[in-house]
Amino acid sequence: MSIVSLARFQFAMTTVFHFFFVPFSIGTAFVVAIMESIYVRTKDEDYKKMTIFWGNVFLLSFAVGVVTGIIQEFQFGMNWSDYSRFMGDIFGAPLAFEALLSFFIESTFIGLWHFTWTKVGKGLHLFFSWMVVFGSMTSALWILTANSFMQHPTGYVIRHGRAEMANFWALLGNPQLHYEYGHVVLNALLMGGVIFAGLSAFQLLKKRSLSDQNRNIYKKTMRIGLWVMLIFSACGIYLGDKQMVYLVNEQPMKFAATEDIYKTTGDKAPWTMIGFADTKDHQIKAHIDIPDMLSILSYHKTTGAVKGMDEVNQELVHKYGAKIDGNKVDYYVPVNTLFWSFRFMAGFGTLMFLVALIGLFMTRKSSQYMYKHKWTLWVMALMTFTPFIANTCGWLITELGRAPWTVYGMYTIMQSVSPNVSVASLLISNIVYFCLFLTLAIVLIGLIVRFLRNNPTDDIDYGYSAKVDPFAKEAF
C-alpha cells in the first residue's frame, strides 16, 4: 500500500458515496415540486398528501448529502493539500458561489417549504418548492464548473507555480461544463423519477392491504415517475451521445479506453460490444465486434477512423514528456474499468428508457396490467437501484479517464498528494471514513424503510401549530 493509492482510494470512496445523494436530492426535489404544482393546479388533495409524503424522502437524502459533502471537503485538506494550493484560486469563486448562494437558497427554502404548509398561500408555498430545485441545480452548476476545469483547463494563468483565475466567464463558457452539467443534471432528474416509481412499486407489493386512497396515490406517483423517467432518460441518452462525440477529440485516451482500442482503427471502425484488455501487453484478448458501428457512434456516419491508445500515448509523451518531476509516467488509463463502466452506464440508461416506455403502456387506464401482476411490480421496484449504479459508473469514467492528471495537462496525481501524510494515517482515516459511511448508509436505509411502513394518508403533519409560544416549554 502506497500513500498515493490510499489517498486515491479515500477520494474515490468519499466522492462515490457523496454522489449517491447529490442526484438523489436534486431529482427527488424536482419530482416533489411537480407533484405540488399538480396539486395547486388541480386542487386534488391526493397530490398534496403525495407531495408531503415523498418530500420526507427528499429531506432524508438532503441531510445525508450535506454530511457526506462536508467529509469530502475535509479529506481534500487532509490528503490533497498540494492540489488545494495549486487550484485554490480557480476553485475559490465557484465554490464560494455554491456555499454562499446556492446552498444558502436551497437550505433556506427547504425550511420555508417544510414548516409553512398552514401559514402561507398555495402559490407562495409552491414558489418555495421550486426555489429548492433552483438552489440544488445551481449548486451542481458551481461544483461542475470546478470539475470541468480539471477536465479542460481554461481562463487561467500560471503564477508562482499556482493556477490563478484570469477570466471567470471563461470558466462558465467551458465547453466541457456544458456537456457535463447537462448530462449530470438530466440524469439526476431521471433518478428522481426512477426512485419514486420504484418505491411506489415496493409500496404496492406490500402484503398488508392498502386503502383505495393510498393505492390510488401510489399509482399516481408511479405515473409521474414513469413520465419523468421517459423524458429525462431520452434526454440523457441524447446528451450522453453528444458528450462522447466531444471526447473523441478532447480526451482521445479516455474515449479509446471506453471502446477497448489500442491500435488506431481503419476508416470503418468496428464497435467492441464485449471485450477484455490485457493491460500489460496492450492487447484485446477476447472481443465481440459489430462492423462499422464505432464510426457511426463517433462521427454519425459510416466512415471515420478512431485513434488507439498506443498512438495517443505517443502523442502525449511527445507533448508532456516521459517523466514529470523525475517520475516516469505513461498516459494509459484503467482500460477494463472504463470499458465496462461505460457499458453499464449506457446499458442501464437504455434500460430505464425502455422500462419507462413499457411501464407507461402497462399502467394506462384501459390496461392497468402492471398493478395486476407482481412480476412487473418487482421489475419496477428493482429499477430503484439502477441509477445509483449508472451514476457511479459515470463518475468512474470522468475521474479515472484523465489519469495520470488531476488537472488535465497541468498537474498530476503524484504532485497533488499532501507531502506530510503517512501510510498509517491514511490507513486509519480510510477505516474511520468507511465505518462512518457504512453507519450513515445503514441509518438512512433504516429510516427510509421505517418511514415507508406508513402511507400518505397516515396522520400527516402539515406544519406546527401557530398557537404555540416559541418560548414556552412545549416548544422545546
Side-chain angles (χ1 to χ4, degrees), residues 243-303:
Q243 187 173 12
M244 292 307 293
V245 170
Y246 169 76
L247 289 178
V248 172
N249 296 313
E250 183 60 32
Q251 290 187 14
M253 180 65 79
K254 178 189 290 186
F255 183 82
T258 61
E259 302 298 346
D260 258 5
I261 302 171
Y262 276 110
K263 307 298 181 184
T264 299
T265 70
D267 199 39
K268 291 181 175 291
W271 179 67
T272 303
M273 185 169 61
I274 298 174
F276 298 93
D278 181 342
T279 56
K280 182 178 180 180
D281 295 331
H282 296 169
Q283 294 179 357
I284 307 302
K285 291 296 186 183
H287 54 93
I288 299 174
D289 294 342
I290 299 177
D292 303 347
M293 182 57 69
L294 185 57
S295 293
I296 296 171
L297 293 173
S298 303
Y299 304 106
H300 297 164
K301 57 183 183 179
T302 56
T303 58

Side-chain angles (χ1 to χ4, degrees), residues 77-112:
M78 289 176 56
N79 304 331
W80 306 97
S81 60
D82 277 356
Y83 166 81
S84 300
R85 293 187 190 96
F86 180 78
M87 286 293 297
D89 189 73
I90 301 293
F91 274 22
L95 294 186
F97 276 113
E98 193 274 334
L100 300 177
L101 178 63
S102 298
F103 183 74
F104 179 80
I105 291 172
E106 189 177 9
S107 55
T108 298
F109 282 98
I110 283 175
L112 290 170

Side-chain angles (χ1 to χ4, degrees), residues 106-121:
E106 189 177 9
S107 55
T108 298
F109 282 98
I110 283 175
L112 290 170
W113 177 84
H114 185 64
F115 294 114
T116 61
W117 277 100
T118 59
K119 297 175 176 62
V120 299

